[in-house]
Amino acid sequence: NNVFYQILPFRDIEHADVSENNLASYKVHKKIEKEGPFKKFLLTIYKKKDNHYFAKSVNKKLVKNYLLLTKEANIYKVLDKVQKKLINKKQIKDVRFPIFHKFVEDKKHATLLIEKVNGKNASTLDIDQKIQVYEKSIEYIRLVGENISEKDKKIIGKRNTIFEILLFPFLMSLTLQKNTKHARLFAKATFEFIKNIPAMLSDSHLVLTHRDLHGKNIFVNRKKIFLFDLENTVFANTNV
């Protein structure tokens, strides 16, 4: 469960036949710019009858990215099941994940299709609105995590606290390389992280964590907040 790219067998996920035409019944509505590590994911909006779907595709030769997309499909499937239960209990108000549609593969490519939602990304909001959106998003992610079965938690995976601590210097060095003008801020953050290590080690409670929650991964409209890009989602220590 501590492996970063944890891939487990799909459970009840619909697979298309292995062919070059597994999306033949869908029409390309709009192509979007590539995203992800080194722009390896192709983003597309597909249309089938009156329904639109957001799609993320990858060439399977790019093994790391293919595994990430497979993991993300597994996560969407689990969260989709939990969301339906929460909706029935009327515990969902302002926030949710897009509905999982399907995961299809052929010999060369893999594609994840989810519900297309309308809205603007949260990076366009003012600071007070951003804080409110982030607080609601984190609260909802925790709520969903509390309702995931132990069996499904294994599909999502977890991050060991020791692993998180050892990973921190690497992540901080990468961040500093890209934002050298904020060196003092990062030094302060590093000090706070080191000071918090005893609390991390003493607290074994893990919560569902998005791990890439920023403005461009949050869509907002008048009624809902939608959370995207779940490939890094895991159960992790609350203090990290």
Side-chain angles (χ1 to χ4, degrees), residues 182-207:
H182 298 303
R184 287 188 178 181
L185 180 62
F186 294 140
K188 183 178 179 181
T190 300
F191 174 76
E192 291 296 326
F193 182 86
I194 294 171
K195 189 172 67 173
N196 203 34
I197 287 178
M200 295 182 211
L201 295 173
S202 62
D203 183 4
S204 60
H205 181 58
L206 303 179
V207 298

Side-chain angles (χ1 to χ4, degrees), residues 33-43 56 65 68 212 229 231:
E33 66 181 63
K34 291 185 179 181
E35 70 149 31
F38 306 105
K39 306 287 184 182
K40 299 300 184 182
F41 292 107
L42 178 64
L43 306 182
K56 181 189 283 190
N65 300 81
L68 277 174
D212 195 21
D229 285 349
E231 67 267 21

Side-chain angles (χ1 to χ4, degrees), residues 76-138:
Y76 267 112
K77 186 67 176 179
V78 170
L79 300 186
D80 201 40
K81 180 168 58 176
V82 176
Q83 281 193 145
K84 289 176 182 177
K85 292 180 181 178
L86 294 176
I87 289 172
N88 291 336
K89 294 178 181 179
K90 297 182 179 180
Q91 289 182 265
I92 290 183
K93 295 181 180 180
D94 302 328
V95 189
R96 69 177 178 84
F97 301 102
I99 297 170
F100 172 86
H101 181 55
K102 66 167 61 178
F103 182 83
V104 296
E105 295 185 70
D106 58 31
K107 294 178 181 178
K108 296 181 180 179
H109 302 93
T111 302
L112 167 64
L113 292 98
I114 60 173
E115 166 192 19
K116 178 188 176 293
V117 298
N118 297 315
K120 59 183 179 180
N121 66 57
S123 61
T124 62
L125 303 176
D126 64 44
I127 187 63
D128 291 332
Q129 290 175 316
K130 284 181 181 178
I131 292 173
Q132 186 178 33
V133 166
Y134 277 109
E135 288 178 344
K136 286 184 177 181
S137 299
I138 292 170

Side-chain angles (χ1 to χ4, degrees), residues 66-80:
Y66 169 58
L67 295 182
L68 277 174
L69 189 64
T70 307
K71 181 176 187 286
E72 186 172 13
N74 274 310
I75 292 171
Y76 267 112
K77 186 67 176 179
V78 170
L79 300 186
D80 201 40

